[in-house]
Amino acid sequence: MMSTQPLYEGKAKRLYLTDDAQALRMEFKDEATAFNAEKKADFANKGKLNKAITLLMYQMLHEKNVETHLIEDIDEINLLVKKVDILMVEVIVRNVAAGGFSKRLGVAEGTPFKKPIVEFSYKSDALGDPLINDDYARELGLATPQECQILKDKALIINEVMIDFFLKCGLKLVDFKIEFGKLADGTIVLADEISPDTCRLWDIETGKKMDKDRFRQDLGDVMEGYAEVLERISKQA
Ligand code: TMP
């Protein structure tokens, strides 16, 4: 079960084969990167916190009929997941201006949108995950127009479910990035992780940032933010 050679290693996780050809072990690392790995650091317990948060978020989403690649919990830093073909399109949903949106377009951080914005980027570290649209995805062979529509529809449902859930935890869901994978039968399911690495979460009362922006912007107490997110969602779950 505990193979030692990763099948794939990303910036925040490793994937390993298991005895079951249809299942992989997903290990959460303590390493953090930002700005396409220009900035790097190790945070003790990040793997544990992000694994625990992803597990609770996936369980919560399952209850709301959102299918994910989760099979079951393994241990502190590992989840057992269904083997999927990851679509090389990252799907970003924004409810409030921040990060890359604010930088690119000069819109003040914190400006709310009337409706959520769904954005695609090409999952390519070599190219720095460039912004793309449905036509780019079609021509690059990343996803068909029908698949792009499925990604948008699913992302907006996931956004609504997560906005409600985080609100109950006293957190504002500013934006997030998700990835999808295809099961052997072609079904598209949510994959990868949902954590403070991949979501912007602000305290509803104080606006305090509780996510990876604490690292990106050198705000300090990075893991304290993640731990607080875990504590709050554990109480809601
Ligand atoms: P951005 O504003 O930097 O484009 O980020 C939008 C959201 O996506 C934010 O919640 C952080 C997340 N994100 C990732 O998970 N991985 C990435 O590589 C990037 C750039 C952003």
Side-chain angles (χ1 to χ4, degrees), residues 11 33-38 88 90 92 94 100 103-104 119-132 177:
K11 293 193 289 269
T33 64
F35 312 115
N36 206 24
E38 266 174 44
M88 300 308 272
E90 298 191 347
I92 291 161
R94 301 180 189 274
K103 199 171 158 194
R104 273 197 303 276
E119 182 181 300
F120 292 149
S121 62
Y122 175 23
K123 183 174 159 65
S124 163
D125 285 341
L127 297 172
D129 299 340
L131 186 66
I132 58 168
K177 183 269 300 179

Side-chain angles (χ1 to χ4, degrees), residues 17-137:
L17 293 170
T18 67
D19 297 339
D20 178 350
Q22 299 310 316
L24 297 177
R25 173 165 65 91
M26 183 162 74
E27 182 191 54
F28 290 72
K29 306 199 285 187
D30 283 346
E31 285 162 42
T33 64
F35 312 115
N36 206 24
E38 266 174 44
K39 186 168 172 171
K40 281 187 197 175
D42 256 39
F43 290 99
N45 290 325
K46 184 169 89 80
K48 281 184 201 170
L49 290 163
N50 280 356
K51 191 235 59 172
I53 293 167
T54 297
L55 176 64
L56 286 171
M57 292 306 295
Y58 278 178
Q59 288 170 337
M60 183 281 291
L61 286 164
H62 282 181
E63 280 170 26
K64 302 286 179 188
N65 300 316
V66 175
E67 205 180 336
T68 80
H69 70 153
L70 175 70
I71 301 174
E72 62 185 22
D73 195 9
I74 299 179
D75 62 22
E76 279 192 316
I77 57 165
N78 288 285
L79 293 177
L80 191 67
V81 296
K82 289 178 194 164
K83 191 171 180 186
V84 293
D85 278 334
I86 290 284
L87 290 161
M88 300 308 272
V89 179
E90 298 191 347
V91 185
I92 291 161
V93 182
R94 301 180 189 274
N95 297 305
V96 176
F101 184 92
S102 292
K103 199 171 158 194
R104 273 197 303 276
L105 297 157
V107 176
E109 182 182 80
T111 309
F113 298 128
K114 292 187 204 75
K115 285 168 66 177
I117 291 178
V118 182
E119 182 181 300
F120 292 149
S121 62
Y122 175 23
K123 183 174 159 65
S124 163
D125 285 341
L127 297 172
D129 299 340
L131 186 66
I132 58 168
N133 65 16
D134 300 39
D135 291 343
Y136 283 51

Side-chain angles (χ1 to χ4, degrees), residues 146-186:
Q146 293 76 16
E147 286 169 344
C148 286
Q149 193 58 52
I150 292 172
L151 299 186
K152 283 186 218 171
D153 292 345
K154 285 188 185 287
L156 286 171
I157 291 170
I158 292 165
N159 185 43
E160 277 182 29
V161 172
M162 294 212 298
I163 287 177
D164 276 2
F165 178 73
F166 282 127
L167 202 57
K168 289 184 203 144
C169 306
L171 294 166
K172 183 193 277 191
L173 179 61
V174 172
D175 57 32
F176 59 93
K177 183 269 300 179
I178 45 180
E179 296 182 24
F180 291 90
K182 268 191 212 173
L183 296 173
D185 70 359

